[in-house]
Amino acid sequence: MFFYEVDNEIQLKLITQNDAEEIFAFIDRSRDYLREWLGWVDNTKTVEDTRAFAALNLEKFAKREGLDTAIFYKGKFVGKVSINTINWSLKKCEIGYFLDEEFQGEGIMTRAVKGIIDIAFHEYKLQKVEIHAAVNNRKSRHIAERLGFMHEGTIRQAEWLYDHYVDHAVYGLLADEWVGEYK
């Protein structure tokens, strides 16, 4: 089982089927909030959908193709931060994250993303970490900027969100740029 202690308040834990009920309950009560930037929310209709997603992510973890972690803040599930994809030939990954609306503004996500970056560079020995965020998702983009990522460009109509396209801002951080601190 994968477990990573970010600091004395935040831990990252590999998501398993045992977490499905708690995560589904969070998704179910937060649908309107999550739908603004996450295109998969409407496809998560039952606890079984969440269990199946956890099983797929465990397979990705076993094959070293990704790492899907739950964020626990003071022992409570508050969100997710993940290495969504790993391209081993290019030694790079893309990460993603979301946080319970009630816990925003506490620096939790910045610290959790810092933890997943440390894992990408130090455990997986990758060369580059990317974050793709909707251009208008200022909170997500601010995390990338705060952690020293460079804005590398914009992908037009990168994602379909329910009834419209959104452009993505692409951020990159190289291993030799990572100092493990944020502004």
Side-chain angles (χ1 to χ4, degrees), residues 106-137:
E106 304 291 323
I108 296 166
M109 187 53 76
T110 300
R111 291 184 280 163
V113 171
K114 180 186 175 301
I116 210 82
I117 293 167
D118 282 339
I119 293 163
F121 288 142
H122 301 297
E123 302 290 325
Y124 287 105
K125 307 289 187 215
L126 297 173
Q127 175 59 26
K128 184 177 185 180
V129 174
E130 290 183 354
I131 293 174
H132 297 214
V135 168
N136 293 327
N137 187 345

Side-chain angles (χ1 to χ4, degrees), residues 7-18:
D7 57 35
N8 63 343
E9 294 182 320
I10 299 171
Q11 295 79 39
L12 306 180
K13 176 190 164 294
L14 181 66
I15 293 174
T16 69
Q17 286 99 333
N18 294 335

Side-chain angles (χ1 to χ4, degrees), residues 8 34 64 73 75 154 170 176:
N8 63 343
L34 295 173
R64 293 178 49 90
Y73 175 68
T154 301
V170 178
D176 62 2

Side-chain angles (χ1 to χ4, degrees), residues 71 79-81 97-99 107-114 143:
I71 302 167
K80 221 168 68 85
V81 63
Y97 41 84
F98 65 82
L99 183 67
I108 296 166
M109 187 53 76
T110 300
R111 291 184 280 163
V113 171
K114 180 186 175 301
I143 288 168

